Amino acid sequence: MTKPIHRCWAEIDLAAFERNLNAIQAKLPKEVTYIAVVKADAYGHGTPHIVRRLMQSGVEHFAVANVKEAAVIRHMGGGWPILLLSPILPGEEDAIVDQDLIVTVSSIEELKRLDALGKRHQTTIKIHLKVDTGMGRLGVWHTQALALITAIKHYETIRLDGVFTHFSSAENDPDFTQTQRKRFLDILSSIDHSGLIIHADNSAGIDSLSADSPFNAVRVGLLQFGIPPYPESVLGKATVEPVFTFNTRVSLVKDLPAGTDISYQRSYRLTQDTTVAILTAGYGDGVPINLSNKGHVLIQGRICPIIGRVTMDQTIVDVSHLAHRPSPGDKAVLIGNCGDETISIAKFSEQAGTIPWETLCSITKRVERVYVGSREI
């Protein structure tokens, strides 16, 4: 029987991932806790494989978006702290106790629900208080934070384990980020934060690692996958390498005459006789429709432009300039290296008018994840 080949696949290099972890950990002071953010299926890389390698590499704290994501990690083993970054919905409370999770809290209402949960189960609920320093999303507004911290002390079943905030514009607005930082530090200066986990920075901007800083943890997301979003940050200087490549195949090669209007809505006109290759990937796999008529792929180490509209299952590229006519089954690289050419996630995302976070999360389950660089546990 012929072994089926992947029509569209993402290759994930776990050895490269571990080298990135080592490089990041080397930049962190020993007293700073590495909180690995692995929400959204570890940014599309696959939670079980990524978390297992993180555990093997000595990372002890994890952060996810919700209880379903937390359950995947907890199923792999107990004892590792798991922080839920999103609010708990009514009806999800029992999972906190069952899975021994740490809850993000932003309001009195949440405290009351968690206190009732703790009393019902006769246990203590660990929380991190989130402070809204200007993003306007989760967290207690910074001017009301001290009152909420005081209120926490009145709930016997609640244990404050950490305090954190989120810098919404670390990549492009250092002045506002400093304003957010000052608001957060002002709150910390007014409370006894000894023994608490204090975190604000993530891969976007690590600027809190001085010896006299109250910050003792950092949330690391995209950087651990070899994508330094903002190289000017402290951790952005860590030498990391890409972990993720996105690949597809040629299914058909054909010659079309000049003057032909191709694709849906006849969205591209051929100005000369053209050899085109049809690829086995489209927006149903995670190739953004915004790459229509402007994106590129790599075939035979050469850049090949996408022509016409990206469709659900297929994409057309111009291969007229290649030295050798492609054959069905040949590999085409959407993100990654081929010969001397590279299409980075940053470049792919820029051409699509989006950001690397969305690109990774948008590559669908139809795309096979192929893992290389595995090691024995």
Side-chain angles (χ1 to χ4, degrees):
M1 180 182 294
T2 303
K3 183 179 179 180
I5 64 171
H6 300 301
R7 297 173 65 88
C8 189
W9 73 102
E11 187 171 287
I12 296 158
D13 189 338
L14 295 173
F17 179 64
E18 184 169 352
R19 290 192 292 272
N20 291 344
L21 299 180
N22 292 337
I24 295 168
Q25 288 168 321
K27 292 289 183 181
L28 289 175
K30 291 182 178 180
E31 66 274 10
V32 173
T33 296
Y34 185 129
I35 302 175
V37 182
V38 289
K39 57 186 178 178
D41 196 28
Y43 296 81
H45 291 72
T47 298
H49 288 83
I50 292 300
V51 168
R52 185 175 297 112
R53 188 54 65 97
L54 284 160
M55 290 175 173
Q56 291 169 343
S57 300
V59 173
E60 297 181 346
H61 287 67
F62 297 96
V64 295
N66 55 54
V67 295
K68 185 175 180 180
E69 292 178 345
V72 176
I73 301 175
R74 187 56 76 220
H75 182 72
M76 298 173 67
W80 281 274
I82 304 173
L83 172 64
L84 300 174
L85 294 171
S86 299
I88 289 292
L89 294 176
E92 292 182 329
E93 291 91 350
D94 285 342
I96 300 166
V97 176
D98 294 341
Q99 299 173 28
D100 187 23
L101 306 178
I102 304 169
V103 188
T104 289
V105 167
S106 305
S107 68
I108 283 284
E109 187 274 336
E110 290 169 305
L111 284 177
K112 291 177 179 178
R113 285 165 49 204
L114 293 174
D115 182 53
L117 174 70
K119 289 176 179 176
R120 188 165 67 249
H121 288 271
Q122 296 184 330
T123 190
T124 299
I125 307 299
K126 292 176 286 187
I127 70 167
H128 280 207
L129 178 69
K130 185 164 189 180
V131 179
D132 184 350
T133 53
M135 188 174 187
R137 195 176 59 174
L138 300 184
V140 58
W141 188 246
H142 60 96
T143 59
Q144 302 164 7
L146 291 178
L148 190 56
I149 291 171
T150 299
I152 291 172
K153 300 174 183 178
H154 299 300
Y155 293 92
E156 294 181 359
T157 68
I158 303 296
R159 191 184 89 193
L160 182 62
D161 191 59
V163 183
F164 73 109
T165 191
H166 190 84
F167 297 141
S168 58
S169 305
E171 73 278 17
N172 61 7
D173 195 339
D175 291 339
F176 181 64
T177 301
Q178 285 304 113
T179 296
Q180 287 188 280
R181 191 180 299 279
K182 183 179 184 304
R183 289 171 176 172
F184 190 59
L185 290 173
D186 285 347
I187 292 166
L188 293 178
S189 68
S190 301
I191 65 172
D192 178 8
H193 53 78
S194 58
L196 299 180
I197 298 175
I198 307 297
H199 51 111
D201 290 298
N202 54 20
S203 300
I206 309 300
D207 191 32
S208 306
L209 304 181
S210 61
D212 59 347
S213 170
F215 298 90
N216 55 18
V218 59
R219 303 187 301 272
V220 185
L222 208 61
L223 184 65
Q224 59 197 342
F225 301 109
I227 308 166
Y230 314 111
E232 67 274 10
S233 70
V234 172
L235 288 189
K237 296 181 176 68
T239 301
V240 293
E241 55 190 292
V243 171
F244 186 98
T245 62
F246 187 21
N247 312 281
T248 187
R249 296 195 187 276
V250 173
S251 64
L252 181 69
V253 181
K254 59 194 292 185
D255 299 307
L256 296 173
T260 302
D261 295 321
I262 66 167
S263 194
Y264 282 115
Q265 284 82 51
R266 304 168 68 203
S267 55
Y268 186 86
R269 168 161 287 193
L270 302 177
T271 59
Q272 59 186 9
D273 293 348
T274 305
T275 302
V276 301
I278 314 304
L279 306 182
T280 56
Y283 58 76
D285 304 278
V287 182
I289 199 169
N290 282 348
L291 290 183
S292 302
N293 289 318
K294 62 180 179 180
H296 301 88
V297 304
L298 302 177
I299 301 175
Q300 297 177 10
R302 299 287 302 278
I303 296 173
C304 300
I306 293 173
I307 57 177
R309 200 175 85 179
V310 174
T311 62
M312 183 180 292
D313 312 305
Q314 299 170 79
T315 300
I316 307 170
V317 297
D318 185 348
V319 294
S320 304
H321 59 298
L322 297 184
H324 305 287
R325 186 182 181 90
S327 299
D330 283 358
K331 178 180 175 179
V333 177
L334 294 153
I335 297 173
N337 301 324
C338 185
D340 295 329
E341 295 289 350
T342 300
I343 298 176
S344 67
I345 290 181
K347 183 64 174 178
F348 181 93
S349 303
E350 180 184 5
Q351 288 187 324
T354 184
I355 54 177
W357 293 266
E358 184 182 25
T359 293
L360 288 168
C361 292
S362 298
I363 296 174
T364 69
K365 293 296 184 183
R366 190 162 75 172
V367 178
E368 297 284 345
R369 269 58 172 181
V370 177
Y371 296 90
V372 300
S374 296
R375 72 177 188 182
E376 294 298 324
I377 297 177

